[in-house]
Amino acid sequence: LRPRPRPPLQNPHNPAARAVAIGGGCALFPDEETSCVLVRAPAPGQRSAAPALSLRDTAAAAHWFAAAAAKGDPMGHANLGLVRLRAGDGAGALPPLRRAAKRSDPSGWAGLGYAYYYGLGVRQDYALAAKALSAAARLGHLDAIFNLGVLALRGEGMEQSLHKAERFWRVAADFSHPMAQYYIGRMKARGLGTRRDCETALFFLQHAAAAWPAGNGLLETGLAAHEADRPQRALVHYLLGAHAGLEPALHNAGFLYAEAMPRRQPQLAASYRGAASEYFRRAAVLGSVDASIRLALLLSEDLTAEHSASSWRLANELYAEAARHGSADATWHLGYNYLKGRGLPKDWGRAWALMRDGGMHSRFAELRGPEKLLFSLLRAVYEARVFIVFAALGSFVLATGGKRAPGFGAGAAATAVWHEDDDAAADDFDEFDD
């Protein structure tokens, strides 16, 4: 298992959210209903994620924001309004939000948009919500840009348009808004409102995943449970990370399905093997070389007559792809299949070259009996090859002692008589100028 994952993506919760079918795609994500949510008003003063330095005290925060607002600070007005808005005091939130908006504070306009959208202190009006969010978006408010995409997708306050939603989210995604990156990734994966592009989909989904630090907690808890020999608990956490598209979580879930769960419930081994193949496949699509090799090994176990040839062929393709990405283990397995003629023509020379390039071993190889002993010996010899060469040279020197081969050494030089006419060395330089 690999304990250092990229964290998964953020998914803010909103009880008013609607389900929008933009799941699935690119042979990676299963079809599913994905909640498309309007991002809530940000925490007061929180323009970017920051560590908490003290316990939350809303009353104290409101006091100091009010003090800043009294000095004419637009951000103070905006944050005071947001504090009251989050507390459900819409009527009290509107005056400071309007003062902030008049001073061109983007959070003030965004707060007014939330008030009109949810009907807090004012009559609910999607058109005015869209207008206020547009003003915030023009001032660079990323959440407002994202939320305009949500309104466009739902047709609230503007004409319903998937293409327009994609345009809003793409702008926010280009400026590293994680939810926008997530939805752009899903839309690119399915070709919804835009051209289908798996490479771009994976790019945005992986960047969205990196924005949610809670993913580290999920995967660290899973690893701790695995080390405590609690595979079912570990699997729950990895499946949560896998649902978010985390490559390490996908790999680790596949590993547990392939190795740990069949030992706990042998009667479900075939089902677990299928699940392992699926999670390894999804991790391989995200670029996991280890998952590619493990998937190839699972395919190699399917030796029924009707599947043997196709399984070996696909396994060798996976090994070759992983080898192109620099995997020594995959290189060794590819050479081993050349040696055995598994889905490839038997070729001892090619097999030896590949296994040598792979370091004469693989972490994933499960050899037994004489074959295991033979490859262990070959690996030992290969790793000690430099020492063996120097040892052989040293043995030769020690064996010959002070003896010299005829024609070499001082004695030969003293007795040898050299005549220039005996060879044409003097003529070698005749063609050169002085």
Side-chain angles (χ1 to χ4, degrees), residues 226-242:
H226 171 72
E227 292 175 344
D229 195 25
R230 301 182 66 184
Q232 292 170 314
R233 179 179 175 83
L235 184 59
V236 168
H237 289 84
Y238 288 135
L239 289 176
L240 289 172

Side-chain angles (χ1 to χ4, degrees), residues 286-305:
L286 283 174
S288 172
V289 173
D290 286 357
S292 296
I293 297 173
R294 291 191 181 277
L295 178 57
L297 291 172
L298 284 177
L299 289 168
S300 302
E301 296 174 2
D302 187 4
L303 299 179
T304 56

Side-chain angles (χ1 to χ4, degrees), residues 111-425:
L112 286 175
Y114 304 137
Y116 279 111
Y117 184 85
Y118 291 110
L120 298 174
V122 292
R123 179 177 55 84
Q124 189 177 43
D125 190 324
Y126 290 150
L128 290 179
K131 188 174 181 179
L133 289 173
S134 296
R138 284 194 292 270
L139 293 170
H141 196 283
L142 288 182
D143 282 345
I145 298 172
F146 171 81
N147 287 332
L148 284 171
V150 176
L151 295 182
L153 187 67
R154 297 178 178 177
E156 295 173 341
M158 63 180 72
E159 181 184 357
Q160 187 173 23
S161 171
L162 188 61
H163 177 66
K164 185 180 290 187
E166 187 271 339
R167 287 175 56 196
F168 282 123
W169 288 340
R170 183 59 185 259
V171 172
D174 287 341
F175 286 92
S176 302
H177 189 285
M179 286 296 293
Q181 289 175 330
Y182 173 71
Y183 286 117
I184 285 294
R186 304 292 284 195
M187 294 176 78
K188 285 288 185 181
R190 291 287 301 278
L192 295 174
T194 182
R195 181 175 60 85
R196 190 169 185 263
D197 186 341
C198 289
E199 184 176 352
T200 303
L202 295 180
F203 173 84
F204 280 113
L205 287 169
Q206 288 176 340
H207 278 74
W212 190 31
N216 282 325
L218 276 177
L219 290 153
E220 288 171 3
T221 303
L223 181 62
H226 171 72
E227 292 175 344
D229 195 25
R230 301 182 66 184
Q232 292 170 314
R233 179 179 175 83
L235 184 59
V236 168
H237 289 84
Y238 288 135
L239 289 176
L240 289 172
H243 180 71
L246 275 177
E247 173 255 305
L250 289 163
H251 172 276
N252 291 349
F255 175 85
L256 291 174
Y257 273 129
E259 302 292 337
M261 297 307 295
R263 292 197 294 269
R264 294 294 179 110
Q265 296 176 304
Q267 71 276 14
L268 298 176
S271 176
Y272 288 144
R273 183 179 180 280
S277 297
E278 174 62 17
Y279 282 103
F280 283 144
R281 180 184 65 81
R282 291 170 61 185
V285 171
L286 283 174
S288 172
V289 173
D290 286 357
S292 296
I293 297 173
R294 291 191 181 277
L295 178 57
L297 291 172
L298 284 177
L299 289 168
S300 302
E301 296 174 2
D302 187 4
L303 299 179
T304 56
E306 63 273 18
H307 295 117
S308 179
S310 60
S311 295
W312 283 125
R313 183 173 63 255
L314 182 53
N316 288 327
E317 289 175 1
L318 289 166
Y319 287 139
E321 181 66 21
R324 281 193 292 271
H325 284 81
S327 171
D329 296 313
T331 304
W332 184 92
H333 281 284
L334 196 59
Y336 184 80
N337 285 351
Y338 270 109
L339 179 67
K340 296 291 186 178
R342 293 176 173 174
L344 296 167
K346 282 191 176 182
D347 188 334
W348 285 61
R350 179 71 170 154
W352 170 258
L354 287 169
M355 288 192 289
R356 180 195 61 206
D357 292 344
M360 298 304 295
H361 80 289
S362 167
R363 293 173 296 140
F364 303 94
E366 296 182 357
L367 303 174
R368 296 179 178 83
E371 190 176 50
K372 180 178 181 180
L373 181 61
L374 174 62
F375 276 97
S376 297
L377 180 61
L378 287 174
R379 178 186 176 187
V381 171
Y382 178 77
E383 292 179 345
R385 61 192 182 282
V386 176
F387 173 78
I388 292 173
V389 170
F390 278 104
L393 289 174
S395 299
F396 175 76
V397 172
L398 291 175
T400 56
K403 299 178 182 179
R404 294 177 176 84
F408 291 89
T415 57
V417 179
W418 178 70
H419 299 282
E420 187 173 340
D421 294 338
D422 289 344
D423 56 44

